[in-house]
Amino acid sequence: MPIVTVASPKGGAGKSTASIILATELAHAGAEVTILDCDPNRSISIWADRGTLPPRINVRSDVGESEIVKTLKQQDADGRVVIVDLEGVASRLVSRAISQADLVLTPMRATTLDATIGVRALALIEEEEEALGRAIRHAVVFTMTRAIKSKQHTAIEKSLRGQGVDIITPPLMERAAFSALFEFGGDLRTMPVQGKMEPAAENASAFAQAVYNRLVGKGL
Amino acid sequence: MSDKPTFSIDLDSLKTRRKDTTPESQGRVDAAGEQHGFVNREPNRKRGRQPSPRVGQVHAKVMPNVADEIADEAKRRGVQQGVIIEEAWVLYKNR
Ligand SMILES: Nc1ncnc2c1ncn2[C@@H]1O[C@H](COP(=O)(O)OP(=O)(O)OP(=O)(O)O)[C@@H](O)[C@H]1O
Ligand SMILES: [Mg+2]
């Protein structure tokens, strides 16, 4: 069971949105997916209650720092993926969820502030790798990006790459369909048309595929 | 929009990998977190007895024998004296 921990101490970076897109795309492609809602604000649970959960997805909520390691161990099974959505804070729960991850995904808006705060997650991962004596694969995904890359985006991307950070392509573009996930629940296929659906669906799928490739150890 | 998956997943390749969950390693993880400001942020769970919802008051002077009897009955049943008064009130309303 690959565990994907979605973590950034920056609030509103797009963690829950990325979690839902990843979960629904992987489930659509045939994987069993469990999302652990570890955010006391319960974004994922709100999404789950809004509409019908797509096939092969289940959600567990209210997982706190004393349960996280045990819960992840219980969810252990081949052929499924567990996605951990966390609150946008620097907490011990985040640090514990990272320790059990096969892949840590750090969503980041392409702004200096988001990058500065998001990088704290990367520093923590490095420290945990040392504490555990194993490599923890991690990648940044830019979120809410525009068709035309801002100068800031280009500069941040260059700086991260320069530090050897794995950056997922494509980024998650700013799309009405993505923000509407919380309004309608379900996935991109079940919601009423929001803006341009085709490019949103392509973006979601290509993003999920890029994450999947990392989970099965295929090329960067 | 097509309903067909745009990529296929090889379920066999989604393998479980062993993670270190020993208390020692978790201790090291917590320490690493603390060093980077990732600290315990959970509200402390309330310990002990929850506060009573009985916050209303009546001001009742009664004859000493009635006071004694209510006190004895409450003690016998292990409830607050207010519970006896609440029950008496229900009987009174339904009389
Ligand atoms: N790619 C996107 N396109 C459009 N809107 C987006 C996108 N990603 C996120 N949003 C919107 O931005 C807001 C914050 O996103 P989200 O809740 O996913 O962030 P978060 O990192 O989970 O926040 P928190 O730290 O509070 O948990 C939401 O209103 C969401 O709908
Ligand atoms: Mg969230």
Side-chain angles (χ1 to χ4, degrees), chain A residues 42-69:
Chain A
R42 311 181 90 235
S43 307
I44 298 294
S45 308
I46 290 169
W47 163 76
D49 291 342
R50 266 298 138 79
T52 321
L53 270 184
R56 292 183 289 282
I57 293 187
N58 65 78
V59 171
R60 278 212 43 186
S61 45
D62 299 320
V63 184
E65 63 170 54
S66 50
E67 301 98 39
I68 183 70
V69 174

Side-chain angles (χ1 to χ4, degrees), chain A residues 15-16 39 43 85-86:
Chain A
K15 291 177 292 294
S16 301
D39 182 347
S43 307
D85 183 52
L86 292 150

Side-chain angles (χ1 to χ4, degrees), chain A residues 1-2 26 28-29 64-65 67 69 73 76-79 90-92 95-96 99-100 102 120 124 127-128 131 188-189 198 201 205 209 212 215-216, chain B residues 1-11 13-17 19-21 25-26 28-30 32-42 45:
Chain A
M1 151 204 74
L26 291 178
H28 184 64
E65 63 170 54
E67 301 98 39
V69 174
K73 214 172 174 179
D76 216 342
D78 285 341
S91 68
R92 191 153 71 192
S95 140
R96 288 185 181 174
S99 78
Q100 302 300 303
D102 290 284
R120 291 183 59 200
L124 173 62
E127 191 81 30
E128 292 198 31
L188 297 173
R189 291 157 199 90
E198 279 286 351
S205 168
Q209 187 159 12
Y212 170 76
L215 289 180
V216 298
Chain B
M1 200 163 66
S2 143
D3 255 6
K4 275 209 227 97
T6 44
F7 66 102
S8 67
I9 281 186
D10 173 16
L11 290 178
S13 61
L14 292 175
K15 282 268 180 285
T16 293
R17 266 160 269 185
K19 313 284 173 4
D20 196 344
T21 58
S25 74
Q26 282 308 301
R28 290 198 301 275
V29 164
D30 288 353
E34 208 132 299
Q35 216 174 312
H36 287 262
F38 289 70
V39 295
N40 177 11
R41 296 196 195 272
E42 288 185 355
R45 295 211 175 111

Side-chain angles (χ1 to χ4, degrees), chain A residues 2-215:
Chain A
I3 297 170
V4 183
T5 295
V6 184
S8 166
K10 178 74 177 70
K15 291 177 292 294
S16 301
T17 304
S19 300
I20 292 170
I21 293 174
L22 181 62
T24 51
E25 292 304 313
L26 291 178
H28 184 64
E32 292 286 337
V33 182
T34 300
I35 315 180
L36 296 191
D37 185 358
C38 294
D39 182 347
N41 298 311
R42 311 181 90 235
S43 307
I44 298 294
S45 308
I46 290 169
W47 163 76
D49 291 342
R50 266 298 138 79
T52 321
L53 270 184
R56 292 183 289 282
I57 293 187
N58 65 78
V59 171
R60 278 212 43 186
S61 45
D62 299 320
V63 184
E65 63 170 54
S66 50
E67 301 98 39
I68 183 70
V69 174
K70 202 178 71 203
T71 307
L72 284 170
K73 214 172 174 179
Q74 279 166 2
Q75 297 287 330
D76 216 342
D78 285 341
R80 37 175 18 209
V81 178
V82 178
I83 298 171
V84 184
D85 183 52
L86 292 150
E87 187 182 11
V89 293
S91 68
R92 191 153 71 192
L93 176 57
V94 172
S95 140
R96 288 185 181 174
I98 288 174
S99 78
Q100 302 300 303
D102 290 284
L103 173 70
V104 181
L105 204 57
T106 301
M108 197 182 275
R109 285 190 302 172
T111 67
T112 308
L113 185 63
D114 274 56
T116 308
I117 299 175
V119 158
R120 291 183 59 200
L122 305 183
L124 173 62
I125 296 166
E126 211 168 287
E127 191 81 30
E128 292 198 31
E129 286 181 316
E130 212 162 290
L132 292 168
R134 74 167 178 111
I136 303 172
R137 186 142 193 195
H138 56 280
V140 163
V141 59
F142 287 107
T143 61
M144 292 172 251
T145 58
R146 302 283 173 82
I148 298 167
K149 247 190 215 180
S150 67
K151 274 196 190 136
Q152 245 182 74
H153 183 165
T154 309
I156 293 166
E157 192 167 334
K158 190 168 165 226
S159 150
L160 289 176
R161 281 195 202 282
Q163 295 165 57
V165 176
D166 179 18
I167 295 173
I168 290 190
T169 51
L172 288 169
M173 307 265 296
E174 181 162 24
R175 291 277 176 201
F178 293 163
S179 58
L181 284 165
F182 289 112
E183 190 179 345
F184 299 105
D187 64 15
L188 297 173
R189 291 157 199 90
T190 56
M191 71 168 62
V193 171
Q194 307 291 313
K196 296 191 188 115
M197 293 308 278
E198 279 286 351
E202 266 165 38
N203 187 186
S205 168
F207 157 73
Q209 187 159 12
V211 175
Y212 170 76
N213 287 341
R214 283 163 176 79
L215 289 180

